[in-house]
Amino acid sequence: MSPHLDFKDRLLSAAGHSLLTVFGRPAAGRPSPAHSPAAELDEAQRQLAGALMRVNHVGEVCAQALYQSQALLSREDSLRRQLEAAAAEEIDHLAWTRARLDELQDRPSLLNPLWYGGAFALGSLAGLMGDRISLGFLVETERQVEQHLASHLDRLPAEDLRSREIVDRMKEDEAAHAQHALDAGATELPPPVPGLMRLAARVMTTVAHRL
């Protein structure tokens, strides 16, 4: 979204982006980090890798919703540009995880519209509370996603190098996004909020693992 657009135009742009995220197939701006040859996985390994990559794909659907809502409501053009740049990198993650799901003969979550809507509402709430709190919400989100991706590196089949390469690159990007938000003046969230965010994430990952 251009900083020169008025709120109505930015809202329309965000609506179009939401449709592309949930129902389309956004193209990555960077090549996939999955460079290793495809490994022969047995059925149990394929199903596990597919479920984990589906959860990661849901996380990227939610990331688009968060960044779009926070950018929409940001008071500062410079912060909006920063959020949009991070969202562009997250589109790469969205495309990479979707491509890997195809390779694993698996599918995205059936509840992606619900996940997107919930994340957009949370991002909007954070945005309405001001840019510094919005940035704090972003920092906490990225920290939790980084931890979540680290757990997936522990759980993915050792033979599934292609999925592991994607998750490892995503983990690096999430850490960088959190640091950029801190550098931009993020406010630490009060203690109850991160715990509630972890609880919501646990519900989402548990459901998306199956649906």
Side-chain angles (χ1 to χ4, degrees):
M1 285 182 285
S2 168
H4 303 296
L5 297 177
D6 62 22
F7 181 80
K8 179 181 176 181
D9 290 334
R10 296 203 306 272
L11 183 60
L12 290 172
S13 177
H17 189 90
S18 70
L19 293 174
L20 178 61
T21 299
V22 176
F23 300 109
R25 295 190 66 127
R30 295 176 292 170
S32 172
H35 300 306
S36 295
E40 290 292 333
L41 304 176
D42 63 32
E43 185 60 17
Q45 290 174 322
R46 186 193 66 78
Q47 289 184 3
L48 174 60
L52 293 175
M53 294 308 287
R54 177 165 53 251
V55 170
N56 291 332
H57 183 264
V58 166
E60 297 310 320
V61 168
C62 292
Q64 288 303 309
L66 289 170
Y67 280 121
Q68 288 295 319
S69 57
Q70 289 176 281
L72 179 66
L73 295 169
S74 175
R75 278 83 161 166
E76 299 177 13
D77 289 344
S78 59
L79 176 56
R80 185 176 299 118
R81 287 192 294 270
Q82 179 180 336
L83 289 165
E84 290 170 353
E89 288 193 353
E90 299 284 355
I91 286 177
D92 292 345
H93 300 175
L94 189 69
W96 297 342
T97 52
R98 178 60 186 271
R100 185 59 185 146
L101 280 171
D102 291 343
E103 292 176 354
L104 291 165
Q105 300 176 26
D106 217 312
R107 54 158 179 78
S109 172
L110 300 174
L111 301 178
N112 274 344
L114 175 64
W115 304 133
Y116 190 97
F120 196 94
L122 287 174
S124 297
L125 179 61
L128 288 170
M129 297 177 72
D131 286 343
R132 301 298 169 243
I133 292 178
S134 183
L135 283 168
F137 184 82
L138 189 156
V139 169
E140 183 59 33
T141 298
E142 298 290 20
R143 285 173 175 169
Q144 293 189 18
V145 170
E146 187 182 359
Q147 293 169 1
H148 159 84
L149 292 173
S151 74
H152 277 199
L153 287 172
D154 291 336
R155 296 178 62 193
L156 279 165
E159 299 87 349
D160 187 7
L161 297 179
R162 291 181 66 80
S163 294
R164 299 176 71 85
E165 287 164 344
I166 292 170
V167 172
D168 193 55
R169 175 66 64 82
M170 289 167 58
K171 182 172 174 289
E172 291 178 6
D173 287 347
E174 308 301 357
H177 295 163
Q179 187 57 55
H180 293 160
L182 282 171
D183 293 342
T187 296
E188 289 288 335
L189 301 179
V193 177
L196 291 173
M197 292 170 65
R198 280 191 290 272
L199 178 61
R202 190 174 299 117
V203 171
M204 182 271 286
T205 56
T206 300
V207 175
H209 192 89
R210 296 169 175 80
L211 297 175

